[in-house]
Amino acid sequence: MEKEDLKVLNKGEEEEMELQGYRLCRWRLALVGLAVLCTGGFLLLVLYWMPEWCVKSTCTRTTARDAEVVLLRSTDEFRRWFLARVRVMLAPGSNPFHSLETQTTSPCSPSSPSCPFSSPASTPLANGHTPHPSDGSPAQELIRRFADYQPKQIRYFTFHSTKYYWNDEVQNFEVLIGLEDLQINCSTLHSEHSAGLTRNQQEYRRLFFGVNEIAVKVPSVFKLLIKEVLNPFYIFQLFSVILWSADEYYYYAVAIVFMSVISIATSLYTIKKQYVMLHDMVAAHSIVRVSVCRANNDIEEILSTDLVPGDVMVIPSNGTIMPCDAVLVSGTCIVNESMLTGESVPVTKTNLPNPVPGGRGEEADSAYNTEDHKRHTLFCGTNVIQTRFYTGELVKAVVVRTGFGTAKGQLVRSILYPKPTDFKLYRDAYLFLLCLVAVAGIGFVYSIVLSIMNKSPAKTIIIESLDIITITVPPALPAAMTAGIVYAQRRLKNIGIFCISPQRINICGQINLVCFDKTGTLTEDGLDLWGVQRVENGSFHLSEENAYKESLVKSQFVACMATCHSLTKIEGQLSGDPLDLKMFEATGWILEEATEEETSLHNRIMPTVVQPPKQLLPPEPASSQEHDMELYELSSAYEIGIVRQFPFSSALQRMSVVARLLGEKRMDAYTKGAPEVVASLCKKETVPENFAGVLEGYTKQGFRVIALAHRRLESKLTWHKVQNINRDHIETNMEFLGLIIMQNKLKAETPGVLHDLHQANIRTVMVTGDNMLTAISVARDCGMIPPQDTVIIADALPPHDGQAAKIIWRYADKPSKTSRLEEVNISLEDVCHADEPKTQELYHFAMNGKSFSVITEHFPDMLQKLVLHGTVFARMAPDQKTQLIEALQGVDYFVGMCGDGANDCGALKRAHGGISLSELEASVASPFTSRTPNISCVPSLIREGRAALITSFCVFKFMALYSIIQYISVTLLYSIPSNLGDFQFLFIDIAIILLIVFTMSLNPAWKVLVSRRPPSGLISGPLLFSVLTQILICLGFQTITFLWVRQQPWYTIWTPLTDVCNQSSHINVSDNIEVDDHNIKNYENTSLFYVSSFQYLIVAVVFSKGKPFRQPSYKNWPFVLSALSLYFFLLFIMFHPIETIDEFLQIVCVPFEWRVKLFLIILVNAAVSVVVETFILDIVLWKLVFSRDKQGSFGITPADPTPQGGMDLRAYKCLSWLCCPRKTPKARYMHLAQELSVDPDWPPKPTTTTEAKPRPENGSTYQIMINS
């Protein structure tokens, strides 16, 4: 077999990785060990930071099959490296689903000593999750008991809480998911897997699948400390501290150590707290006692941790929290899936159909999978509220997935192992540091050469040359950068936003698109009935507030409202879809369900009965005695029994019921659903002529409209015939009854916040688990989709019966007959040539979760175009929400996510800035949690993010300038040879730098969100221009000072006896012999010290920007006070020397006229710095560059701006070429928007279909074919 084989794991999935096999090599290990000793352990650190170097330096390549170590590399844009040890376990077989039953096996009771598996303590766990000494013995025991089986070596490795097993057939490592690996049909699942496993089979499978537990280990503080301290920055700080201690510069070393300890301690506390929260959330329901069916029909109680795929679990009648994913094979369950969907609506789960082999249509036998059969699947972590069973049957479910393989396990994995969030600021910071390191390298060589020429001792050469590196790359940088973030975190806390990932605050400053969950985030929970509008004789009545009236009690309209729903009673409380609940409550009727005894008689037919309250029924006339007794009973007991339900189908957009009025022979069919759909099923003459207009009137106001219809069924349709009839026979030739108008009340703050975000050119998107029509209605209501805009619904269908996947385009709630197409095209044309970025396109895409997954799989190129204008994403599963966030990030959006349910966890974690409105599950995953339960926290977070980002830029620029200014001073002084004194360094580093850095970060955020965004990286035109010009100015003025002082007529080589100030010296010569050795005291040093000290303060003031992202600096009192105090102090010691201060700072007395000249140099320096930064950069360059970089609300780039004022065109072109040479926009979404603006086939026209066709040269990509 070829040695260099490269395997691909999880092909085509989100966690796709390349795998290479390696074998440990002893001589390489020995060499690396020697190198680690020689480098004092530094090489070990490098290998810890670089897993690929570690593997390649200690191992040799081998085949994946024989590997002892595997090197993994992600195939996403981050291309991260990981390593994992391959382990070997012995098992009686290689396939967990093979049967091991042999004739020799004797059944044993749990109490029998020969049966070691009945005790949970001996649970075999291949990867050592349990620390029992008996670990592994169960496998040995199984091998001993199944002597006929040859023990097999199973090779596997664990990565991100998932086990990958070697599969000889495919010659690759594979994940064992669960029962779905077998790809079994529904009928096979019933016939072969519904009896249960023997105890031996369960033990054997547990070897492979491990314990059914989502184990979140909380690392010890020591482990976290080691991981945190082994950060390159902290290692560099350690190096600096050791160097300064060797140079007897203890004060600053202590200050740096103190700051680092505080920084590490806060970081550890935050990380530990996150782990504990996640552990508590998962552990709450992870271990329960469950009943399982054994193969011999026994029922045994075991711990949920012992469950394996294939076990048959009995669901208790009083409900439980599911410890695994399981499929119902008998009975019905009512489940609260809010953990997954965020909608706390009880869902009815029915048993998996058991089709007859060879069945057709809906009854065809298909392979079971959790996605297609989710109506029959109970998911881990969801709450089974109650169960229903018939004729004494138990409610049973076959375990499908366990542990981290379950839906909840995947959610926890996405929180534990998130993808890194790529942020340009941090990448640029490292690039910037590399530039500083390069500058330091030049200084390093320069100082060594100078020291050798000056014949300095070896110790001095080493310390001085290494000192240049610590000067150029400031060790206080991490603390300085953190300061702004800490202040922002504190300000956020004051407005009720808590942050567990402070680094994300900066990234929030870049957000230009926010995804909102709907229920509980944009809206209050649930819908309210606004009114009803009945139809009689083909025309509308006036709208009425409710249907709770005596006159309507026996009308078909109210009968439809009372029967056409899927409500059920749970512990005496009505429960079900909120829309159904509101509709039923509006009638005031009473629902009565059959008891279990009655149900068992009817054999699965559940006659639910509804009846109006007695007070609504009209009083009986006095002549009632003369009536037939039976009729009297009927009129006094007005009851309707629901005979059959056709559940709501999102594809059909309707639900129907067949009901019978007590005492009537004929049955009635009632339908409710989307108005257009229901109207199309009705007789033309019963639908009012103004139907479209009335409907449009309501939808434009943002109401959710439901239509009702009715039909008397033929008398030949008996009870039993109805149970087997197809719904198409029922839902036809109906009579239109009227409309119900529902209102999904928005939270009061929602429209205002969304308006503010649109004003700031921040795009908004709705991503919800709720239904599409409600979502579109709410999007219109809150201003996310303006009333005049078109909504294009993308319905994607997967490949079926040899047909390719296709997308059917339809335009939502635009029933007017005018051609929508011309309107769209004209409006797009206008948008593309508009200079105003706030102009919005007139179309938005909407799609549901199923369509989204089909488009992701079969139309990857189309997905990017759709997310560019996609505004409503409905019925989205938790993992689809995360995929949407990634798709938006894939076109270079900075995405914020605001949600409140556990179903938003993955998306909240993945987004650049996730903010949770709930303090429950979501807050564990979310970087931010808001105490205010509405979206007003979103603009506040973005404003604080922008302020923190600008603060980071200010601090970074200031720290870069500080190190370069000090570097210039030191390199100039090395040439004479001299240096800055320890206390001069200390004064600069602590009194000036730390004080200024920690106060310049205190500017609060600007009051409003402006439409401009701060730059995302340090490597951008204006920022580089700013830093480079200030470096040149400082270099120029320091060099002038250094050369000019030596030209002064009074200048001479300074000695303790020199007296250029005409003062008799009181200094004792003997005290200064040591100082003279270092040659600290001289005129060059003193002059440069004065000038450079002022330069630090000048750049601090110049860089400390205010509007439009931060409050102006003059409002930052601590900063103003610090800067003025330092200016005053420096001017004071310059013009009024005090001997003790001069002695402490090792500065010498210079003539008064030179001090005046120094003051003039400082004034000119300040003036030049301010003019360059404020006038040239802010007024000319900044406006030019940022007018090109404005972000349109939907990613449309405005045309080139007109040059400012009277600026001539050539200067404009030259400057714009310097600052942004690219004509095409940098962000991918802008680029796409430009392309689409000239595409005649975009947006797709109504009632057209887009098909996916495989290209002949490459079967995996698709060409889009548009067929009308």
Side-chain angles (χ1 to χ4, degrees), residues 329-331 351 388-396 603-604:
V329 286
S330 69
N351 57 341
R388 292 207 183 133
F389 51 88
Y390 315 100
T391 56
E393 255 182 77
L394 289 172
V395 178
K396 294 180 188 173
N603 190 16
R604 299 199 181 210

Side-chain angles (χ1 to χ4, degrees), residues 856-872:
T856 308
E857 188 178 343
H858 300 284
F859 300 87
D861 301 339
M862 175 76 79
L863 183 67
Q864 293 201 336
K865 296 178 183 179
L866 288 176
V867 296
L868 196 67
H869 292 273
T871 303
V872 175

Side-chain angles (χ1 to χ4, degrees), residues 1056-1249:
L1057 298 171
T1058 311
D1059 185 17
V1060 295
C1061 297
N1062 302 320
Q1063 298 170 339
S1064 51
S1065 179
H1066 301 294
I1067 300 164
N1068 188 336
V1069 179
S1070 62
D1071 287 351
N1072 287 276
I1073 294 163
E1074 198 184 329
V1075 176
D1076 281 343
D1077 285 348
H1078 283 84
N1079 191 19
I1080 301 296
K1081 288 191 167 187
N1082 53 57
Y1083 299 122
E1084 292 90 342
N1085 170 296
T1086 300
S1087 304
L1088 284 180
F1089 173 74
Y1090 282 136
V1091 170
S1092 66
S1093 293
F1094 276 105
Q1095 282 182 340
Y1096 298 124
L1097 293 172
I1098 291 165
V1099 293
V1101 171
V1102 163
F1103 284 160
S1104 194
K1105 300 271 175 66
K1107 275 184 10 180
F1109 304 116
R1110 303 198 305 166
Q1111 299 276 7
S1113 290
Y1114 60 78
K1115 288 192 176 179
N1116 179 355
W1117 288 109
F1119 174 70
V1120 172
L1121 210 63
S1122 307
L1124 287 177
S1125 309
L1126 285 165
Y1127 274 124
F1128 178 78
F1129 175 76
L1130 286 168
L1131 286 170
F1132 181 77
I1133 61 167
M1134 196 167 133
F1135 286 107
H1136 192 280
I1138 295 167
E1139 199 175 306
T1140 48
I1141 293 177
D1142 285 5
E1143 191 61 36
F1144 177 76
L1145 289 174
Q1146 295 169 286
I1147 48 183
V1148 297
C1149 188
V1150 290
F1152 184 77
E1153 68 267 19
W1154 178 241
R1155 287 181 220 155
V1156 173
K1157 286 176 184 173
L1158 280 179
F1159 183 60
L1160 286 173
I1161 289 173
I1162 289 158
L1163 280 180
V1164 175
N1165 184 344
V1168 172
S1169 287
V1170 169
V1171 166
V1172 167
E1173 184 73 16
T1174 311
F1175 176 73
I1176 296 180
L1177 184 78
D1178 283 6
I1179 293 177
V1180 180
L1181 284 176
W1182 184 277
K1183 286 194 176 173
L1184 267 179
V1185 173
F1186 279 94
S1187 59
R1188 288 178 68 95
D1189 197 32
K1190 273 181 188 170
Q1191 320 281 318
S1193 179
F1194 282 77
I1196 288 287
T1197 314
D1200 282 356
T1202 50
Q1204 298 293 324
M1207 187 190 270
D1208 103 64
L1209 194 60
R1210 260 173 302 176
Y1212 160 72
K1213 281 184 177 170
C1214 174
L1215 285 169
S1216 57
W1217 178 82
L1218 272 169
C1219 298
C1220 41
R1222 296 189 196 126
K1223 289 283 181 195
T1224 53
K1226 287 179 190 171
R1228 218 172 306 170
Y1229 66 87
M1230 291 174 136
H1231 193 67
L1232 262 172
Q1234 275 190 349
E1235 283 178 12
L1236 292 179
S1237 64
V1238 293
D1239 183 347
D1241 293 325
W1242 197 262
K1245 296 156 185 63
T1247 67
T1248 58
T1249 305

